[in-house]
Amino acid sequence: MEADLSGFNIDAPRWDQRTFLGRVKHFLNITDPRTVFVSERELDWAKVMVEKSRMGVVPPGTQVEQLLYAKKLYDSAFHPDTGEKMNVIGRMSFQLPGGMIITGFMLQFYRTMPAVIFWQWVNQSFNALVNYTNRNAASPTSVRELIKGICVKDRNENEIGHSRRAAAIGITQVVISRITMSAPGMILLPVIMERLEKLHFMQKVKVLHAPLQVMLSGCFLIFMVPVACGLFPQKCELPVSYLEPKLQDTIKAKYGELEPYVYFNKGL
């Protein structure tokens, strides 16, 4: 028996994005590190399925579970603004394997200053790539967002203008999320390892200390990536009254009092 997909909206969130728990569940789904290993062919299939579902022309026999899986792959690999496939290393789903790999090398090569500098450079380059990949597509860099403003839209996704105040809020929220993502591993991991290394059996297997740190850093990341991403909605809602006076006048002239809020993608 075929499922009735006539009322199915593939872009409707599976979990309430107005709540922290709903956002965590959403990001736990789309930052699943297993999606990194999905083939390009399957990702392309997911995009086709999502686009067909939006047009209401899904192939006969398609099940809801297939569409939900396609949307999971689509959200994990394609940019929400442009629909373009993102660089695999810059995807949020790569935070776990990427973070573990870099942590491992940083722990292994720390005895010389050139090695420390090189792996710190690799770490910061990785962070920069993640920032760029998950940016608001209408504003390529954070500096440009602050200077020219971030694109804000109405509830129907129609572009209204650019706001520097909205950009400042979006960047602040992203910074807080990134700090939250890395802080537990940076603060708690050294404390945990210091206590473990004092144990008698740990002193006998010093060769396992570095692999254990890598595994523990992965344990932190697998939970903290969705938690940090879920601190704030990715699609921000901002009162018109908070915007620049000139932009407020533009909105009131076009919508009157019918559009009390504007919306923008803050990025991740």
Side-chain angles (χ1 to χ4, degrees):
M1 181 177 178
E2 293 188 11
D4 182 12
L5 301 176
S6 57
F8 182 77
N9 181 1
I10 199 166
D11 290 312
R14 295 178 62 184
W15 300 278
D16 188 354
Q17 295 302 287
R18 296 170 297 179
T19 68
F20 171 66
L21 183 58
R23 293 193 296 271
V24 170
K25 289 180 179 179
H26 169 71
F27 284 109
L28 189 63
N29 183 49
I30 68 172
T31 62
D32 183 346
R34 293 174 299 179
T35 61
V36 171
F37 305 102
V38 172
S39 68
E40 294 293 308
R41 181 178 180 180
E42 192 168 3
L43 292 178
D44 292 337
W45 164 83
K47 183 176 183 179
V48 170
M49 291 297 290
V50 169
E51 292 174 345
K52 286 185 175 181
S53 180
R54 286 170 175 167
M55 296 184 291
V57 290
V58 293
T62 301
Q63 301 297 315
V64 172
E65 291 76 13
Q66 290 176 291
L67 292 179
L68 293 176
Y69 178 65
K71 189 61 162 60
K72 171 180 179 172
L73 296 182
Y74 181 86
D75 287 344
S76 72
F78 294 87
H79 197 282
D81 289 341
T82 65
E84 295 178 357
K85 190 180 296 179
M86 296 184 289
N87 183 298
V88 64
I89 298 177
R91 299 172 193 168
M92 275 297 167
S93 53
F94 193 77
Q95 280 287 306
L96 174 61
M100 291 180 68
I101 291 170
I102 292 175
T103 299
F105 279 108
M106 291 176 71
L107 291 171
Q108 182 66 30
F109 301 102
Y110 66 91
R111 294 179 177 84
T112 65
M113 185 58 67
V116 171
I117 293 174
F118 174 75
W119 286 107
Q120 285 293 340
W121 172 79
V122 171
N123 184 43
Q124 294 308 316
S125 298
F126 174 63
N127 292 331
L129 179 59
V130 172
N131 291 340
Y132 180 77
T133 303
N134 295 277
R135 73 199 185 282
N136 178 302
S139 305
T141 66
S142 298
V143 174
R144 181 175 177 179
E145 286 183 4
L146 289 173
I147 295 175
K148 296 188 176 182
I150 196 170
C151 177
V152 295
K153 301 178 180 180
D154 63 20
R155 69 186 70 184
N156 297 316
E157 295 295 317
N158 298 311
E159 183 177 333
I160 298 176
H162 288 75
S163 170
R164 290 189 297 274
R165 293 183 180 179
I169 290 176
I171 292 172
T172 300
Q173 291 182 353
V174 169
V175 170
I176 293 173
S177 295
R178 293 302 179 83
I179 293 173
T180 303
M181 190 183 299
S182 59
M186 295 177 64
I187 296 172
L188 298 179
L189 186 56
V191 176
I192 294 172
M193 287 303 302
E194 183 180 6
R195 294 192 176 186
L196 288 176
E197 288 171 357
K198 293 179 180 178
L199 299 177
H200 181 67
F201 79 93
M202 286 293 290
Q203 294 176 4
K204 295 182 178 180
V205 289
K206 292 185 178 181
V207 69
L208 297 180
H209 289 189
L212 179 59
Q213 288 187 68
V214 173
M215 292 301 298
L216 288 175
S217 69
C219 292
F220 279 115
L221 285 172
I222 200 168
F223 291 106
M224 292 312 302
V225 169
V227 168
C229 290
L231 287 177
F232 308 100
Q234 184 172 3
K235 183 179 180 180
C236 294
E237 179 182 273
L238 193 64
V240 171
S241 59
Y242 185 81
L243 301 174
E244 293 83 348
K246 185 177 180 180
L247 185 54
Q248 288 187 44
D249 293 340
T250 300
I251 294 173
K252 290 178 180 179
K254 185 175 181 179
Y255 299 96
E257 301 296 331
L258 299 177
E259 198 68 38
Y261 296 96
V262 294
Y263 306 88
F264 62 96
N265 171 28
K266 67 175 177 59
L268 294 175

